Amino acid sequence: MTTSPSKSSGQLSHIGYLDDSRYNVGRYRSIALVTLAIKDYHHLVNLLKTQIEESEIREFKWERLKNAKYRFGAIKMINFAVKYVCSHLLRIDVVIWDIEDRRHKVIGRDDLENLQRMYYHLLNVVLSRRWPYGSVWKICPDENSAIPWERLKTSLQHTGGKPPSQIRLITGEKKLDQTKYSIQQLIQVKSHEEPLLQLADLFAGISIFSREKFEQYQVSTGQQTMLENHDEFHSSNADVERFTVLCHLIQLCRSKSLEVQFQSARGLKTPNPNNPLNFWWYTPQSAKDKAPVREAR
C-alpha cells in the first residue's frame, strides 16, 4: 500500500520521492527525485501502480533489468513519466556526479558524507526553484539509505525557512516574508510499496548507465563500428536489455521536444534545469567546493 499524503495536515501541498544509485561504487553516482503536487498524487500513483502490475513486476529495480519482463516494465514506466512531465504534473530531477572530477578526486573522500551533501543540493534546488514559493513538502526517501535524515531535514528547514530577498507577485506587489519552502514530513518508505520511488530508482540507474556505457551503446546501435583502445566488444544480456530501454527514452524525449541531450554530451544531460525532466551533471560550484574527507583517527 502506498504512502497516503492525505492522512497528513491539510497544509501539505507537494510530495517527493527520492532514491540514490551506487553512491560508493563505480565512477558515476546519482540521486533521482520525483516531485508532484498533492492534488495529483492519487491519480498518478494509481496509474503508475497499474503499469507496474500489468508488467507482472512486484517491485521495479534498475539492477534487476536483465530480461524482457523488466524491459517491458521499464518502457511502460518511461512512457508514464514522459507523458506526465510533458503535461507538467510531474518533475523528475536527477543529479549525477563523477568521482574523477577535481571536486571528488581527493584522498580520503567520505562517500557517505558526500552523498548527504548531494541530497541536500538536489532537494534544496528543486524545492526552492522548481515549485512555487511557500510549498509545504512531504519527502519520502528509500528506507535503505544510510543518510542521517533528521540532520538533513534540519539543514533543509534552515535554508528553506529563509525568505527570498524579493518576490514580485503577478499584481506587482513585493512580499518579503514568504519562506522558500518547508518540510512538514520526512519519512523513509519501502520501495516495493511505492511506485513513485521505483520510478526514481529507474531514472537514477539509467542516468549512470547512459554515461558509463555510452561507447558500448554506440556500438550496439550501429552508430560506432569499434571502440577505441578495445580489441573486443561484448555486451551482457542485461546491457542489451538496458540499451533498448535507453534508446526508447532518448527517442521519446526527442519526439516530445524535451531538451535532453545524449549524443553530444556522451550521456543523458539537460542543458536547461527548468526542464521537467532534468539530468543535472554536478560540477564544482567554486574553487572551495571540494568533496568531504574522512576525519583522521
Side-chain angles (χ1 to χ4, degrees):
M1 180 176 227
T2 56
T3 301
S4 175
S6 62
K7 294 179 181 178
S8 303
S9 163
Q11 295 178 339
L12 273 175
S13 61
H14 293 79
I15 188 167
Y17 289 85
L18 70 170
D19 197 11
D20 58 76
S21 180
R22 296 169 56 183
Y23 82 88
N24 62 352
V25 177
R27 176 174 176 177
Y28 301 109
R29 322 286 172 88
S30 70
I31 305 169
L33 172 61
V34 177
T35 50
L36 63 158
I38 287 293
K39 63 182 178 60
D40 300 315
Y41 171 83
H42 289 293
H43 174 62
L44 294 185
V45 79
N46 287 332
L47 287 175
L48 180 57
K49 182 180 179 181
T50 298
Q51 295 292 306
I52 295 171
E53 289 177 346
E54 286 179 352
S55 302
E56 299 181 348
I57 295 172
R58 178 177 178 270
E59 176 187 11
F60 182 88
K61 288 283 191 184
W62 175 259
E63 293 301 323
R64 296 178 186 172
L65 204 174
K66 300 177 182 179
N67 56 42
K69 181 170 76 171
Y70 273 83
R71 169 173 33 97
F72 288 132
I75 287 173
K76 285 185 177 183
M77 293 171 74
I78 286 171
N79 290 344
F80 165 89
V82 171
K83 177 178 179 178
Y84 290 105
V85 299
C86 286
S87 61
H88 299 283
L89 296 183
L90 195 70
R91 274 198 67 91
I92 301 176
D93 294 87
V94 188
V95 61
I96 308 111
W97 61 100
D98 178 0
I99 63 167
E100 293 294 317
D101 69 14
R102 65 180 176 85
R103 179 186 187 275
H104 293 91
K105 203 168 185 178
V106 295
I107 297 173
R109 185 185 63 246
D110 188 330
D111 283 330
L112 183 57
E113 180 66 25
N114 190 60
L115 178 67
Q116 180 176 330
R117 293 189 187 184
M118 290 299 178
Y119 267 108
Y120 172 86
H121 287 311
L122 179 61
L123 283 163
N124 183 52
V125 167
V126 174
L127 273 54
S128 65
R129 301 182 189 177
R130 312 293 175 232
W131 290 96
Y133 275 108
S135 296
V136 181
W137 286 87
K138 178 175 183 176
I139 301 299
C140 302
D142 188 346
E143 69 171 358
N144 292 325
S145 176
I147 294 295
W149 290 110
E150 282 305 313
R151 189 173 118 198
L152 180 59
K153 181 183 177 183
T154 299
S155 298
L156 287 164
Q157 288 285 59
H158 178 72
T159 303
K162 293 179 179 178
S165 58
Q166 188 178 87
I167 301 174
R168 186 176 296 277
L169 303 181
I170 296 175
T171 60
E173 176 186 359
K174 297 176 182 178
K175 188 173 183 179
L176 304 179
D177 60 349
Q178 188 178 19
T179 58
K180 295 177 184 177
Y181 61 83
S182 63
I183 299 175
Q184 187 181 96
Q185 298 179 48
L186 196 157
I187 301 174
Q188 296 182 71
V189 294
K190 300 179 187 296
S191 176
H192 71 273
E193 296 178 349
E194 300 291 348
L196 291 168
L197 188 59
Q198 294 171 49
L199 190 66
D201 178 277
L202 190 163
F203 277 88
I206 203 170
S207 65
I208 292 176
F209 183 78
S210 74
R211 296 189 69 177
E212 200 172 58
K213 301 285 186 174
F214 175 79
E215 289 187 328
Q216 286 179 254
Y217 174 85
Q218 296 293 90
V219 173
S220 176
T221 56
Q223 298 176 65
Q224 184 172 312
T225 56
M226 62 180 293
L227 290 174
E228 295 180 5
N229 303 321
H230 286 71
D231 296 326
E232 297 181 358
F233 170 73
H234 172 71
S235 291
S236 66
N237 290 337
D239 284 344
V240 171
E241 298 292 357
R242 292 169 187 174
F243 288 150
T244 302
V245 174
L246 176 59
C247 183
H248 180 76
L249 175 59
I250 293 167
Q251 293 177 347
L252 194 57
C253 287
R254 186 179 299 125
S255 70
K256 299 297 183 180
S257 300
L258 284 170
E259 300 174 9
V260 176
Q261 297 176 344
F262 176 73
Q263 196 75 26
S264 60
R266 299 177 65 85
L268 294 169
K269 183 179 183 181
T270 309
N272 181 1
N274 289 316
N275 197 48
L277 177 55
N278 177 32
F279 294 95
W280 169 23
W281 291 16
Y282 190 90
T283 55
Q285 305 300 293
S286 69
K288 295 181 179 179
D289 185 9
K290 297 289 186 181
V293 296
R294 295 184 294 273
E295 294 182 5
R297 294 184 179 178

mmCIF file of all heavy atoms in Angstrom, residues 60-84:
data_model
loop_
_atom_site.group_PDB
_atom_site.id
_atom_site.type_symbol
_atom_site.label_atom_id
_atom_site.label_comp_id
_atom_site.label_asym_id
_atom_site.label_seq_id
_atom_site.Cartn_x
_atom_site.Cartn_y
_atom_site.Cartn_z
ATOM 1 N N PHE A 60 9.958 -2.770 -9.166
ATOM 2 C CA PHE A 60 10.951 -2.478 -10.185
ATOM 3 C C PHE A 60 12.241 -1.995 -9.540
ATOM 4 O O PHE A 60 12.241 -1.097 -8.689
ATOM 5 C CB PHE A 60 10.465 -1.413 -11.177
ATOM 6 C CG PHE A 60 11.480 -1.142 -12.250
ATOM 7 C CD1 PHE A 60 11.489 -1.903 -13.408
ATOM 8 C CD2 PHE A 60 12.463 -0.177 -12.080
ATOM 9 C CE1 PHE A 60 12.458 -1.704 -14.387
ATOM 10 C CE2 PHE A 60 13.438 0.033 -13.049
ATOM 11 C CZ PHE A 60 13.435 -0.723 -14.205
ATOM 12 N N LYS A 61 13.339 -2.591 -9.974
ATOM 13 C CA LYS A 61 14.678 -2.152 -9.591
ATOM 14 C C LYS A 61 15.527 -2.127 -10.860
ATOM 15 O O LYS A 61 15.525 -3.105 -11.629
ATOM 16 C CB LYS A 61 15.312 -3.119 -8.574
ATOM 17 C CG LYS A 61 14.719 -3.059 -7.179
ATOM 18 C CD LYS A 61 15.232 -1.848 -6.428
ATOM 19 C CE LYS A 61 14.869 -1.890 -4.963
ATOM 20 N NZ LYS A 61 15.299 -0.663 -4.254
ATOM 21 N N TRP A 62 16.268 -1.052 -11.067
ATOM 22 C CA TRP A 62 17.109 -0.971 -12.250
ATOM 23 C C TRP A 62 18.078 -2.144 -12.316
ATOM 24 O O TRP A 62 18.320 -2.717 -13.390
ATOM 25 C CB TRP A 62 17.881 0.350 -12.268
ATOM 26 C CG TRP A 62 18.861 0.450 -13.389
ATOM 27 C CD1 TRP A 62 20.212 0.265 -13.333
ATOM 28 C CD2 TRP A 62 18.555 0.723 -14.769
ATOM 29 N NE1 TRP A 62 20.772 0.420 -14.576
ATOM 30 C CE2 TRP A 62 19.782 0.694 -15.475
ATOM 31 C CE3 TRP A 62 17.379 0.985 -15.458
ATOM 32 C CZ2 TRP A 62 19.848 0.936 -16.853
ATOM 33 C CZ3 TRP A 62 17.452 1.226 -16.831
ATOM 34 C CH2 TRP A 62 18.672 1.187 -17.508
ATOM 35 N N GLU A 63 18.633 -2.533 -11.197
ATOM 36 C CA GLU A 63 19.605 -3.621 -11.178
ATOM 37 C C GLU A 63 18.990 -4.965 -11.577
ATOM 38 O O GLU A 63 19.712 -5.896 -11.941
ATOM 39 C CB GLU A 63 20.258 -3.736 -9.790
ATOM 40 C CG GLU A 63 21.140 -2.544 -9.421
ATOM 41 C CD GLU A 63 22.281 -2.329 -10.404
ATOM 42 O OE1 GLU A 63 22.848 -3.326 -10.894
ATOM 43 O OE2 GLU A 63 22.618 -1.159 -10.688
ATOM 44 N N ARG A 64 17.672 -5.063 -11.532
ATOM 45 C CA ARG A 64 17.005 -6.308 -11.922
ATOM 46 C C ARG A 64 16.644 -6.317 -13.405
ATOM 47 O O ARG A 64 16.107 -7.306 -13.913
ATOM 48 C CB ARG A 64 15.727 -6.509 -11.091
ATOM 49 C CG ARG A 64 15.983 -6.692 -9.614
ATOM 50 C CD ARG A 64 14.677 -6.824 -8.852
ATOM 51 N NE ARG A 64 14.886 -6.853 -7.409
ATOM 52 C CZ ARG A 64 13.919 -6.802 -6.506
ATOM 53 N NH1 ARG A 64 12.648 -6.699 -6.903
ATOM 54 N NH2 ARG A 64 14.196 -6.833 -5.208
ATOM 55 N N LEU A 65 16.933 -5.235 -14.117
ATOM 56 C CA LEU A 65 16.555 -5.150 -15.523
ATOM 57 C C LEU A 65 17.540 -5.972 -16.358
ATOM 58 O O LEU A 65 18.549 -5.471 -16.846
ATOM 59 C CB LEU A 65 16.561 -3.685 -15.988
ATOM 60 C CG LEU A 65 15.682 -3.323 -17.188
ATOM 61 C CD1 LEU A 65 15.689 -1.815 -17.417
ATOM 62 C CD2 LEU A 65 16.081 -4.033 -18.458
ATOM 63 N N LYS A 66 17.205 -7.264 -16.491
ATOM 64 C CA LYS A 66 18.081 -8.192 -17.202
ATOM 65 C C LYS A 66 17.315 -9.089 -18.164
ATOM 66 O O LYS A 66 17.898 -9.973 -18.782
ATOM 67 C CB LYS A 66 18.832 -9.078 -16.180
ATOM 68 C CG LYS A 66 19.704 -8.299 -15.213
ATOM 69 C CD LYS A 66 20.344 -9.215 -14.195
ATOM 70 C CE LYS A 66 21.195 -8.412 -13.194
ATOM 71 N NZ LYS A 66 21.822 -9.289 -12.170
ATOM 72 N N ASN A 67 15.997 -8.883 -18.258
ATOM 73 C CA ASN A 67 15.182 -9.741 -19.128
ATOM 74 C C ASN A 67 14.034 -8.940 -19.737
ATOM 75 O O ASN A 67 13.832 -7.767 -19.431
ATOM 76 C CB ASN A 67 14.654 -10.948 -18.335
ATOM 77 C CG ASN A 67 13.870 -10.517 -17.097
ATOM 78 O OD1 ASN A 67 13.078 -9.589 -17.137
ATOM 79 N ND2 ASN A 67 14.113 -11.206 -15.985
ATOM 80 N N ALA A 68 13.278 -9.606 -20.592
ATOM 81 C CA ALA A 68 12.213 -8.927 -21.343
ATOM 82 C C ALA A 68 11.117 -8.397 -20.429
ATOM 83 O O ALA A 68 10.569 -7.314 -20.681
ATOM 84 C CB ALA A 68 11.615 -9.891 -22.368
ATOM 85 N N LYS A 69 10.788 -9.125 -19.372
ATOM 86 C CA LYS A 69 9.718 -8.674 -18.472
ATOM 87 C C LYS A 69 10.053 -7.321 -17.866
ATOM 88 O O LYS A 69 9.223 -6.397 -17.860
ATOM 89 C CB LYS A 69 9.477 -9.713 -17.373
ATOM 90 C CG LYS A 69 8.362 -9.314 -16.416
ATOM 91 C CD LYS A 69 7.977 -10.453 -15.477
ATOM 92 C CE LYS A 69 9.002 -10.644 -14.388
ATOM 93 N NZ LYS A 69 8.525 -11.604 -13.351
ATOM 94 N N TYR A 70 11.267 -7.181 -17.372
ATOM 95 C CA TYR A 70 11.664 -5.908 -16.775
ATOM 96 C C TYR A 70 11.844 -4.829 -17.839
ATOM 97 O O TYR A 70 11.602 -3.651 -17.578
ATOM 98 C CB TYR A 70 12.933 -6.079 -15.944
ATOM 99 C CG TYR A 70 12.636 -6.501 -14.524
ATOM 100 C CD1 TYR A 70 12.405 -7.834 -14.206
ATOM 101 C CD2 TYR A 70 12.547 -5.563 -13.501
ATOM 102 C CE1 TYR A 70 12.109 -8.233 -12.907
ATOM 103 C CE2 TYR A 70 12.254 -5.945 -12.195
ATOM 104 C CZ TYR A 70 12.037 -7.281 -11.905
ATOM 105 O OH TYR A 70 11.729 -7.662 -10.621
ATOM 106 N N ARG A 71 12.273 -5.232 -19.038
ATOM 107 C CA ARG A 71 12.386 -4.255 -20.126
ATOM 108 C C ARG A 71 11.021 -3.666 -20.464
ATOM 109 O O ARG A 71 10.875 -2.447 -20.575
ATOM 110 C CB ARG A 71 13.003 -4.906 -21.367
ATOM 111 C CG ARG A 71 12.893 -4.003 -22.594
ATOM 112 C CD ARG A 71 13.637 -4.518 -23.806
ATOM 113 N NE ARG A 71 13.696 -5.939 -23.962
ATOM 114 C CZ ARG A 71 12.874 -6.651 -24.743
ATOM 115 N NH1 ARG A 71 11.874 -6.069 -25.393
ATOM 116 N NH2 ARG A 71 13.049 -7.948 -24.869
ATOM 117 N N PHE A 72 10.016 -4.526 -20.619
ATOM 118 C CA PHE A 72 8.669 -4.034 -20.915
ATOM 119 C C PHE A 72 8.158 -3.146 -19.781
ATOM 120 O O PHE A 72 7.520 -2.116 -20.018
ATOM 121 C CB PHE A 72 7.700 -5.206 -21.132
ATOM 122 C CG PHE A 72 7.924 -5.944 -22.427
ATOM 123 C CD1 PHE A 72 7.987 -7.331 -22.451
ATOM 124 C CD2 PHE A 72 8.072 -5.250 -23.621
ATOM 125 C CE1 PHE A 72 8.201 -8.016 -23.643
ATOM 126 C CE2 PHE A 72 8.280 -5.927 -24.821
ATOM 127 C CZ PHE A 72 8.345 -7.319 -24.826
ATOM 128 N N GLY A 73 8.445 -3.554 -18.541
ATOM 129 C CA GLY A 73 8.018 -2.746 -17.403
ATOM 130 C C GLY A 73 8.684 -1.387 -17.395
ATOM 131 O O GLY A 73 8.049 -0.358 -17.152
ATOM 132 N N ALA A 74 9.999 -1.350 -17.664
ATOM 133 C CA ALA A 74 10.732 -0.083 -17.690
ATOM 134 C C ALA A 74 10.202 0.838 -18.780
ATOM 135 O O ALA A 74 10.067 2.055 -18.567
ATOM 136 C CB ALA A 74 12.222 -0.347 -17.900
ATOM 137 N N ILE A 75 9.895 0.284 -19.937
ATOM 138 C CA ILE A 75 9.375 1.100 -21.041
ATOM 139 C C ILE A 75 8.013 1.690 -20.684
ATOM 140 O O ILE A 75 7.740 2.867 -20.959
ATOM 141 C CB ILE A 75 9.318 0.263 -22.340
ATOM 142 C CG1 ILE A 75 10.738 0.045 -22.864
ATOM 143 C CG2 ILE A 75 8.433 0.939 -23.389
ATOM 144 C CD1 ILE A 75 10.823 -0.902 -24.042
ATOM 145 N N LYS A 76 7.166 0.912 -20.022
ATOM 146 C CA LYS A 76 5.869 1.439 -19.580
ATOM 147 C C LYS A 76 6.051 2.570 -18.576
ATOM 148 O O LYS A 76 5.333 3.581 -18.621
ATOM 149 C CB LYS A 76 5.020 0.318 -18.960
ATOM 150 C CG LYS A 76 4.411 -0.638 -19.976
ATOM 151 C CD LYS A 76 3.494 -1.636 -19.277
ATOM 152 C CE LYS A 76 2.815 -2.552 -20.289
ATOM 153 N NZ LYS A 76 1.859 -3.477 -19.630
ATOM 154 N N MET A 77 6.993 2.396 -17.673
ATOM 155 C CA MET A 77 7.238 3.432 -16.665
ATOM 156 C C MET A 77 7.794 4.706 -17.306
ATOM 157 O O MET A 77 7.442 5.824 -16.914
ATOM 158 C CB MET A 77 8.203 2.891 -15.608
ATOM 159 C CG MET A 77 7.609 1.771 -14.763
ATOM 160 S SD MET A 77 8.830 0.953 -13.689
ATOM 161 C CE MET A 77 9.058 2.215 -12.429
ATOM 162 N N ILE A 78 8.647 4.545 -18.310
ATOM 163 C CA ILE A 78 9.188 5.708 -19.020
ATOM 164 C C ILE A 78 8.083 6.415 -19.799
ATOM 165 O O ILE A 78 8.014 7.654 -19.815
ATOM 166 C CB ILE A 78 10.341 5.275 -19.946
ATOM 167 C CG1 ILE A 78 11.581 4.967 -19.099
ATOM 168 C CG2 ILE A 78 10.647 6.349 -20.996
ATOM 169 C CD1 ILE A 78 12.711 4.325 -19.863
ATOM 170 N N ASN A 79 7.208 5.657 -20.430
ATOM 171 C CA ASN A 79 6.071 6.266 -21.142
ATOM 172 C C ASN A 79 5.220 7.093 -20.184
ATOM 173 O O ASN A 79 4.795 8.217 -20.505
ATOM 174 C CB ASN A 79 5.210 5.192 -21.795
ATOM 175 C CG ASN A 79 5.889 4.521 -22.973
ATOM 176 O OD1 ASN A 79 6.876 5.034 -23.512
ATOM 177 N ND2 ASN A 79 5.381 3.370 -23.377
ATOM 178 N N PHE A 80 4.958 6.532 -19.021
ATOM 179 C CA PHE A 80 4.197 7.245 -17.992
ATOM 180 C C PHE A 80 4.929 8.518 -17.588
ATOM 181 O O PHE A 80 4.342 9.603 -17.543
ATOM 182 C CB PHE A 80 4.020 6.332 -16.771
ATOM 183 C CG PHE A 80 3.570 7.045 -15.524
ATOM 184 C CD1 PHE A 80 2.225 7.217 -15.253
ATOM 185 C CD2 PHE A 80 4.508 7.550 -14.624
ATOM 186 C CE1 PHE A 80 1.809 7.881 -14.101
ATOM 187 C CE2 PHE A 80 4.107 8.208 -13.477
ATOM 188 C CZ PHE A 80 2.742 8.380 -13.223
ATOM 189 N N ALA A 81 6.219 8.400 -17.300
ATOM 190 C CA ALA A 81 6.994 9.545 -16.824
ATOM 191 C C ALA A 81 7.006 10.670 -17.850
ATOM 192 O O ALA A 81 6.748 11.837 -17.516
ATOM 193 C CB ALA A 81 8.422 9.105 -16.504
ATOM 194 N N VAL A 82 7.305 10.343 -19.092
ATOM 195 C CA VAL A 82 7.395 11.379 -20.131
ATOM 196 C C VAL A 82 6.038 12.027 -20.374
ATOM 197 O O VAL A 82 5.942 13.249 -20.541
ATOM 198 C CB VAL A 82 7.982 10.793 -21.427
ATOM 199 C CG1 VAL A 82 7.870 11.790 -22.582
ATOM 200 C CG2 VAL A 82 9.451 10.400 -21.215
ATOM 201 N N LYS A 83 4.983 11.236 -20.362
ATOM 202 C CA LYS A 83 3.644 11.800 -20.568
ATOM 203 C C LYS A 83 3.319 12.850 -19.516
ATOM 204 O O LYS A 83 2.840 13.953 -19.837
ATOM 205 C CB LYS A 83 2.593 10.685 -20.514
ATOM 206 C CG LYS A 83 1.155 11.201 -20.650
ATOM 207 C CD LYS A 83 0.156 10.052 -20.630
ATOM 208 C CE LYS A 83 -1.277 10.581 -20.743
ATOM 209 N NZ LYS A 83 -2.263 9.464 -20.766
ATOM 210 N N TYR A 84 3.622 12.559 -18.265
ATOM 211 C CA TYR A 84 3.191 13.467 -17.197
ATOM 212 C C TYR A 84 4.209 14.566 -16.885
ATOM 213 O O TYR A 84 3.812 15.598 -16.337
ATOM 214 C CB TYR A 84 2.779 12.668 -15.965
ATOM 215 C CG TYR A 84 1.491 11.936 -16.236
ATOM 216 C CD1 TYR A 84 1.473 10.561 -16.479
ATOM 217 C CD2 TYR A 84 0.288 12.635 -16.333
ATOM 218 C CE1 TYR A 84 0.287 9.902 -16.787
ATOM 219 C CE2 TYR A 84 -0.897 11.990 -16.639
ATOM 220 C CZ TYR A 84 -0.890 10.619 -16.868
ATOM 221 O OH TYR A 84 -2.074 9.977 -17.191
#
